[in-house]
Amino acid sequence: MPHKHKPKEKIFIESNYRTNYQKPVLSTSQNNSTNKQSTNPNDLLSKEINYDNISEIIKYFYLLLEANDIFRIDLLHKKCVETAVIKNNKDFAEISIIFYAIQKILSKRHVYDTEIWKNTKEKLITIGKSGIKDLEENNFENFRNKIITCQKLIQDADKSLGHFVTDIISKARVKLSSSAYAYGISVSSAADLYSVNSALLMEYIGLTKMSDEDRKFKSIKERVLILEKGLSK
Amino acid sequence: MKIVFDTGVLISFSDTCLISILHNLKEKFDEFILAPAVKFESLDKSNQNMRFKLSTYRIRKQMDSLTFTVYKGSKELENRRNQILEIANSLFSLRGHDLNIMHYGEAECLALLSLTNAKYLAIDERTTRMLLEEPNALIDVFTRKYNTSKISFDKKRYNKLKELIGEVYVIRSSDLIAFSYENNLCGNAVTNKDELKAALYALKFSGCSVSFEEIEEYIGQIR
């Protein structure tokens, strides 16, 4: 018996700070054909947000954070990586690090259930509101300082609660610079965008499947022969 | 015969303790050239990080033993680099934006090729390699990742870039190790086929853009 899909319900979340959106819709794809499942994960993000606008993205993020919506925060960080690469924009790169790190933290019960994290989250929300105000007043220097402050807060929380020498923000930088490299920019460009050491990035890339997925054109043997031919001239 | 080296190859060789092979390899070639940006990236910058300090000592030893020639910065190099960078970063565009695919380090390596009459570029990362050898492969990557076929490619500017750089052959650390093995230049570092396979895998895991399939295919061809 085929399973009947019900039309998806709209989920309304009340934001706990003033935004321009009275009742933001965190619904899934607004497909007109009601029972069609979207194959593009990005369709699961709100269609009311302008993803080229950092201020709107941050407001949306805080809604997702309140809802503990790890899945959409994950999609949001990926969207920001893509935008960072297309626009070669470090602001998008830096906020993608925050989103990624928080999404990781939310998946670790031993961290997000603690008082330390709850206090950190409150501070992040306060700084976030102030950061949005800075953006609206075109005070980019203050905004960027607040990004750094947020990253430091997350780093400190992770250092006191995590099990690894490398904290979550540092790991996020390397992981997301690898994601940026996957979008086709060079290693040095990706390393620069995310302010990581190229050697660290190379090490991480070596563990991915990227080289195995790319189109092949010259083999190892062909390149060896090129060298030998060059020497014999 | 001269080879211009990018940072990635130095790092791959150093991290896998194979850097001494470059010293043996150098005897077959006229010059191994490093751009100032590559020296900065592989030595000066990494020297601050304890995780990579050993690697920087290994690379520095090779420089001190004259395996590498570090090209002194010049106005000509700077101008050529900026020209290459400007063209490379306006070849592809998506959603109204030019894709900044290249950094000044890679552009400086490319600039050095024509300035030093070098025809070989040793680079492990894929973007520059694909750009020089097969830009359609790079378009495939963009199409796959951005989930769109609306990538524009400026063929005319690409031809201009090729003219600026000149004739160039791209080799990776995996190809250099293979060449060294076939020419008995590995010394005690790689003495048989199994060790060669292990070395190729180690280079791959250090970031060299070579696939498992390529390695297995090559090992299958070795006696």
Side-chain angles (χ1 to χ4, degrees), chain A residues 117-130:
Chain A
W117 172 248
K118 284 171 187 166
N119 293 336
T120 302
K121 185 177 161 183
E122 276 174 30
K123 286 177 193 167
L124 286 173
I125 291 171
T126 308
I127 296 170
K129 282 188 220 180
S130 160

Side-chain angles (χ1 to χ4, degrees), chain A residues 186 203 212 214-215 223, chain B residues 51 101 106 133 140 170 175:
Chain A
S186 71
E203 206 173 62
D212 301 286
D214 290 334
R215 203 204 286 191
R223 293 178 199 274
Chain B
R51 195 161 156 189
I101 59 168
E106 288 109 10
E133 294 186 330
D140 280 351
V170 181
D175 312 318

Side-chain angles (χ1 to χ4, degrees), chain B residues 174-186:
Chain B
S174 52
D175 312 318
L176 287 170
I177 264 290
F179 175 86
S180 302
Y181 180 77
E182 290 192 20
N183 288 274
N184 298 317
L185 294 167
C186 291

Side-chain angles (χ1 to χ4, degrees), chain A residues 133-146:
Chain A
K133 203 172 163 221
D134 289 328
L135 277 177
E136 285 163 358
E137 291 167 3
N138 291 327
N139 198 335
F140 296 110
E141 195 182 329
N142 274 6
F143 169 71
R144 282 168 191 142
N145 286 337
K146 286 183 178 122

